[in-house]
Each structure stands twice: as C-alpha cells, then as structure tokens.
Amino acid sequence: MRQFQEFALHEFQSIEDAPFRPEQYSRLKFGCDEAAREMGYQIADAFFQNNAPALLDSRSLMISSPYNFVPNAATIMTMHLLNRLNSHIVDAKGNHVEYATVPRKISYVNDYGLLSGEHRKSLIAGDRFYFNSQHFEGRCLLFVDDVKITGTHENRLVELMHEQQLKNKTFFLYFARYTGDRPDIESEINFAAVKSIRDLNRIAAEPNHHMTVRQIKYILAADPSELYHDFLKFRSDRYLKSLYFNCLNEGYYKIQEYETNIGVIRDAIDQQEGARKCLA
C-alpha cells in the first residue's frame, strides 16, 4: 500500500465547471463558520464512506494546514471535519481521530493565490515547519487543506516526512483539487464573494465569524481612506482589538505596506474608547 494518498471531494478545471459554489468557498476564506461547517461535513461524510475500514483499524491524527498565530480558513474547516468524522467513527465503534498542528513560520507577505507554481515553490522553501515526529509515531496521518492548486504545500510536507524518515500511512484531504494549468485561478475563487472592503462587512457580522489570516491581510491592504468609513466603524470594540493584536502577533507591524492601516485600526480603537469615556 502506498504511503501517501490523496482524497479530494471535488475536482475542477475552471470557475465555470467547478462542482461547488465559488462564493461559498470565498466566504470560508474570509471566516464564515457556516461555509466552514458545510464544507468540512461534506469532506468527512465522503472520506468516511470511502475509507471506513482503514479509519476504524488505525489510530489516526488529523493535522490542519500549517499556520503561525492566526488560524487560516482551512483550519476552521478542519475542526468541523474532525467533529463530523469522529461522530461517524465513534458510532461505528472505532477509535476517535486526535488533532495536532504543524506550526509554520511564513517568510513572505505575497498573495499566494496570484503566484505561479515555481514562485510558490521558491517562497515556501523559506518557510519553517515544525514536526513533532514523536507524536506522529504509529499514527495514520490526515493532513487537511481546503484546495489543492499546484501541490506545493503537499510536496513540502512529503519532503519533510522523508527528511525525518517518517513512514506513516498518510492521506492528504482536500475540499477541491484543481486540474488545470492556471495557478492564479486560486485568487479568483478566494475573492469570488469579496470584491471590496464593503463586501467583508456581511461576513464579519455573521454569528460565529472567525478572523483568518486572509481576512487580516485584505484589511491591511485596503484603501486607507475607505477602511474606516466602509468597514472599521461598523465593528465592535472586541473585533477591533482582536484585529489589532493579531496584526502584532503575526508581525505585520514590521511590514511597511501595512503600517498605515495598522495605524487606522489603532485610531478606530482610540475613537471607540474616547466615545465611551464621553458617555460615562
């Protein structure tokens, strides 16, 4: 049996033939919990149906797409996938899948969805991933990501496993796999539902909304003159502070292109605090 296998719920060659809703996928990328749950459940149902014997006969470990501090959209989807998959496994008298993370220090700020396969490979080579190989011992590994475009992340994880001489049976699970030759299609599906900072208002106002790395980068790259009036002034104090501290914790304050909008976010917090003092 092969050490590495892939499972993709969908395949597509273009936006037009995608068997899923690009707008719903885009909403996932910007923190929509409803989209994350829908997609995670769909993967879990199909994966269990196709691989129940292997899952019931092994001790498995689910690993979300690596990230630094702020979870990416794939991680939110992974938690719903894990919940659903464990419901199936435990109902079938199997041993539940455990959860683990692979910390990643990202070395670039570029929009990954706009890059070619070779450019992606050169960028990811500068990232640092941290494997807990002892925790992996004896487990079937289930690496999860939302979409596979060029396979750069998967290839890097396979390289790391070979470097550390890990022989685990491994599945790479995806919501969708792109089979065309235009990597920048990822940017099209990422932004299918978000064309402006105003579009983000609807997603950020939803119940159980999650802050994601893509959402933060989009905010930091927005037109400063529009950011406050079209988005920040509608956000709660809790959201603004979470956004600001996540910018600090990801190290975005060191990036010159983001300095202006981080200042706009800080000013929005100060304005809310000033208004509360006036009312007190």
Side-chain angles (χ1 to χ4, degrees):
M1 185 177 290
R2 290 179 295 129
Q3 180 182 1
F4 301 104
Q5 294 188 43
E6 285 185 18
F7 176 87
L9 182 63
H10 300 295
E11 287 191 344
F12 68 109
Q13 286 189 317
S14 68
I15 294 289
E16 291 72 28
D17 75 358
F20 58 90
R21 292 173 291 163
E23 292 79 11
Q24 189 74 335
Y25 176 82
S26 176
R27 287 164 55 77
L28 163 76
K29 302 299 279 188
F30 284 90
C32 173
D33 187 75
E34 183 267 335
R37 183 176 62 254
E38 176 185 285
M39 295 163 65
Y41 279 20
Q42 289 174 2
I43 300 171
D45 292 348
F47 184 65
F48 182 78
Q49 183 176 1
N50 283 271
N51 297 279
L55 291 168
L56 296 173
D57 290 340
S58 62
R59 294 171 61 235
S60 299
L61 193 65
M62 185 172 288
I63 304 151
S64 63
S65 179
Y67 63 92
N68 179 32
F69 182 83
V70 178
N72 49 39
T75 299
I76 301 166
M77 184 190 75
T78 298
M79 300 311 298
H80 289 294
L81 192 164
L82 181 67
N83 291 342
R84 182 76 160 191
L85 187 60
N86 275 335
S87 294
H88 291 316
I89 290 173
V90 173
D91 285 348
K93 311 302 180 185
N95 191 28
H96 73 283
V97 176
E98 296 183 23
Y99 179 74
T101 59
V102 172
R104 173 188 182 188
K105 184 62 177 176
I106 297 176
S107 58
Y108 57 89
V109 298
N110 311 63
D111 186 340
Y112 202 75
L114 294 169
L115 305 179
S116 68
E118 284 302 312
H119 198 176
R120 292 172 187 231
K121 184 176 180 180
S122 65
L123 282 180
I124 203 171
D127 291 359
R128 297 196 301 273
F129 296 80
Y130 303 92
F131 273 11
N132 185 346
S133 54
Q134 290 183 331
H135 191 43
F136 288 1
E137 188 173 349
R139 310 293 187 95
C140 174
L141 305 181
L142 310 176
F143 286 103
V144 181
D145 209 343
D146 43 43
V147 67
K148 178 181 178 180
I149 300 293
T150 64
T152 304
H153 284 89
E154 178 181 321
N155 293 340
R156 183 65 180 129
L157 291 170
V158 170
E159 287 176 4
L160 290 169
M161 290 186 66
H162 285 322
E163 289 171 7
Q164 298 193 22
Q165 299 183 338
L166 296 173
K167 305 298 183 182
N168 306 64
K169 173 66 178 175
T170 303
F171 287 92
F172 290 95
L173 279 65
Y174 300 101
F175 177 71
R177 177 169 54 215
Y178 177 58
T179 58
D181 57 3
R182 190 169 62 83
D184 62 352
I185 195 173
E186 184 172 5
S187 182
E188 290 187 35
I189 58 175
N190 283 345
F191 296 104
V194 178
K195 307 298 185 183
S196 71
I197 195 69
R198 291 182 179 180
D199 293 335
L200 188 55
N201 276 313
R202 292 188 291 272
I203 301 174
E206 291 176 353
N208 303 318
H209 169 263
H210 303 272
M211 195 168 292
T212 64
V213 170
R214 176 161 300 281
Q215 177 186 159
I216 295 172
K217 286 186 174 182
Y218 189 77
I219 290 168
L220 293 179
D223 184 330
S225 63
E226 298 176 356
L227 180 57
Y228 176 77
H229 293 288
D230 291 345
F231 184 74
L232 295 180
K233 74 176 184 180
F234 302 111
R235 306 277 73 79
S236 67
D237 177 70
R238 180 178 180 181
Y239 179 96
L240 292 176
K241 288 181 178 176
S242 177
L243 174 61
Y244 178 70
F245 291 132
N246 282 333
C247 289
L248 304 186
N249 294 332
E250 284 285 354
Y252 293 152
Y253 67 93
K254 298 178 182 179
I255 300 170
Q256 185 176 2
E257 298 95 315
Y258 292 161
E259 287 179 357
T260 298
N261 280 357
I262 289 177
V264 174
I265 295 165
R266 183 62 183 266
D267 289 344
I269 294 171
D270 290 343
Q271 286 186 42
Q272 283 200 0
E273 291 181 344
R276 282 198 301 272
K277 288 178 181 178
C278 290
L279 294 173

